[in-house]
Amino acid sequence: MACASSLDLPNSLSHRLKLSKPSQSRKPSSVSFPTASLNGSAGSQINGSSEFPKINGSHKTPKINGSKPINGSGFINGSSLPHLNGFDGINHDVGLRVAFQGSFGAYSEFAAKTAYPDCITLPRRSFADALAAVESGKADRAVLPVESTMEGTELRNYDLLLRHDLCIVQEINLFVHYCLLAMPGVRQTQLRRVISHPMALAHCGRALAQLGLDREPVEDTAGAVEMLRANHLLDTAAIASPRAASLYGLDVLAQGLQDESWNVTRFLLLSKSPAKKVFKNSKTSMVIAHRGGSMMVVLKVLSAFSSRNINLKKLEVINSSGAGQALVMILDVRGRGSLRAFPQVLYVDCEGSIEDPVVKEAIEEIERFSVFVRLLGCYTADTNVYDLQ
């Protein structure tokens, strides 16, 4: 498969997009992904070949553990250590089942493979279905994107987390790189529309406006690629990752479509049980609910942490007390397991472990003046930003 280089772009746009060059194919990297199947046959190849193309002229197949450097170090932030789910030399993720929303090749699957390179990924139609798979025992983990540098916090997904009895056990920050994909041999002049997840279309708004393509939202980026290939659409492009192009045998017409060059999404890995072992650089997440006096509660929360020299990594205030606004529903995991409604909540991430006496003291102080406190998880803070290029 060759990657076409015939995309005709306006001058104002072409300097921002990396055009893909024709390439020779090579065998896939050691990271194991399920082979895409469009006819229901497990493990079947779309184009009869098990070889993947190089992307953007590179002879290195994109990997999903940050091994393709942006600054020459292997990670965006210069860290020389790959992300592991344990530091005892033992591979803990073999056979681990991780549910994600979307089709094979979705960014959520990349996040799962970054956290657990040898895991088995299980596609689900919705984020709620992915969480339900863990609760029912059909999966061991679920992946949930919760915020991005371009969109801010994904409150709907935080709401899902609050409604389920699952614990945060890991976080992954993933650099999201959007590409324009088309059927092999299709040129830009043949394209009339582009399909992708609504957020991906929004993230690439300026580029798509200059390309003059009609936009059609679908459920997810990988689903768009799957639809493109399954229906053999010659007048349609999809926005997805370069890895999705390799997986489904499509041409990469252009790379870097996102309006903002720095596009990072934070994913949470969820489990029925809390993390077994948390290392020194730990982070604790919690939700604090109250009724009335928002500013006073915020100040008291800040005081509880600052008086003990505990750094906050996140503090977000949600006020749903206005007319017509839905209350925030939180599952009371320590009570009868019922959902409770609150008009105001605070999402808090702080440095330190819940086993730390100082952190415990801060939480106990907050519990004295708030209506409700629920710990969402204690896990190793990961400041790496992983790249799929």
Side-chain angles (χ1 to χ4, degrees):
M1 185 193 76
C3 294
S5 59
S6 60
L7 181 60
D8 184 17
L9 298 173
N11 292 334
S12 58
L13 179 63
S14 60
H15 76 281
R16 293 195 295 109
L17 305 185
K18 300 177 182 178
L19 298 186
S20 299
K21 300 177 181 179
S23 60
Q24 299 173 353
S25 59
R26 57 155 294 172
K27 293 183 179 180
S29 65
S30 59
V31 177
S32 175
F33 272 85
T35 302
S37 172
L38 296 182
N39 58 8
S41 174
S44 63
Q45 295 288 337
I46 292 178
N47 55 7
S49 170
S50 60
E51 296 183 335
F52 290 155
K54 61 185 179 181
I55 301 298
N56 198 26
S58 170
H59 287 278
K60 293 184 178 180
T61 302
K63 298 186 179 182
I64 51 79
N65 60 358
S67 58
K68 180 67 173 69
I70 281 186
N71 60 1
S73 64
F75 295 100
I76 293 178
N77 68 351
S79 169
S80 61
L81 291 175
H83 185 84
L84 302 174
N85 54 35
F87 293 92
D88 52 8
I90 301 174
N91 190 347
H92 297 277
D93 57 80
V94 174
L96 195 72
R97 302 164 301 168
V98 184
F100 68 96
Q101 184 274 330
S103 304
F104 290 121
Y107 287 101
S108 290
E109 187 193 17
F110 298 147
K113 284 288 188 177
T114 302
Y116 310 109
D118 294 315
C119 71
I120 300 169
T121 49
L122 307 175
R124 291 294 183 267
R125 184 176 181 84
S126 67
F127 291 116
D129 291 340
L131 271 59
V134 178
E135 290 183 319
S136 65
K138 296 178 180 178
D140 304 299
R141 301 284 190 275
V143 185
L144 196 65
V146 291
E147 55 191 286
S148 74
T149 54
M150 292 187 69
E151 294 290 331
T153 300
E154 179 55 69
L155 293 178
R156 182 173 60 181
N157 284 349
Y158 263 115
D159 286 346
L160 273 177
L161 175 59
L162 299 184
R163 291 170 177 263
H164 292 264
D165 185 10
L166 297 177
C167 304
I168 304 171
V169 294
Q170 203 163 339
E171 66 177 349
I172 291 292
N173 296 300
L174 192 66
F175 183 78
V176 176
H177 183 83
Y178 290 122
C179 298
L180 189 70
L181 312 181
M183 291 291 295
V186 170
R187 296 176 176 272
Q188 186 266 335
T189 53
Q190 298 174 256
L191 299 176
R192 296 293 178 266
R193 65 170 181 163
V194 59
I195 56 177
S196 193
H197 186 276
M199 189 173 292
L201 294 174
H203 287 178
C204 305
R206 290 199 296 268
L208 295 179
Q210 294 188 54
L211 289 171
L213 300 177
D214 295 331
R215 309 171 203 181
E216 184 176 316
V218 295
E219 290 186 350
D220 62 273
T221 55
V225 173
E226 196 173 42
M227 182 187 305
L228 189 68
R229 186 79 207 201
N231 295 292
H232 200 73
L233 302 175
L234 301 181
D235 65 343
T236 303
I239 295 177
S241 69
R243 176 65 200 188
S246 299
L247 190 63
Y248 290 93
L250 298 178
D251 284 356
V252 180
L253 299 187
Q255 299 194 38
L257 257 68
Q258 60 268 19
D259 294 339
E260 302 295 333
S261 59
W262 187 246
N263 185 18
V264 177
T265 297
R266 180 187 179 215
F267 295 83
L268 298 179
L269 282 297
L270 308 176
S271 171
K272 291 180 71 174
S273 303
K276 293 181 179 180
K277 189 175 182 181
V278 179
F279 300 92
K280 291 182 179 179
N281 56 330
S282 56
K283 178 189 290 188
T284 298
S285 296
M286 68 193 76
V287 60
I288 302 166
H290 58 98
R291 293 186 174 93
S294 284
M295 186 54 66
M296 184 59 67
V297 173
V298 171
L299 293 175
K300 287 182 177 180
V301 169
L302 291 173
S303 175
F305 289 109
S306 64
S307 63
R308 296 171 174 85
N309 295 317
I310 301 173
N311 292 324
L312 293 186
K313 307 299 290 183
K314 174 186 179 70
L315 174 62
E316 184 157 355
V317 181
I318 307 300
N319 190 341
S320 302
S321 58
Q325 291 183 314
L327 299 179
V328 179
M329 306 299 294
I330 305 177
L331 183 66
D332 187 353
V333 297
R334 293 190 297 180
R336 298 180 178 178
S338 59
L339 286 172
R340 300 178 61 181
F342 298 98
Q344 291 107 9
V345 299
L346 280 71
Y347 296 113
V348 177
D349 290 349
C350 73
E351 291 182 353
S353 168
I354 53 176
E355 302 301 325
D356 187 333
V358 178
V359 175
K360 281 186 176 180
E361 288 178 7
I363 295 174
E364 289 171 357
E365 180 179 333
I366 293 171
E367 287 177 331
R368 288 196 290 268
F369 62 76
S370 62
V371 177
F372 178 81
V373 176
R374 176 181 156 189
L375 296 178
L376 301 177
C378 180
Y379 48 98
T380 302
D382 190 346
T383 57
N384 290 314
V385 175
Y386 298 91
D387 180 34
L388 300 180
Q389 274 292 87

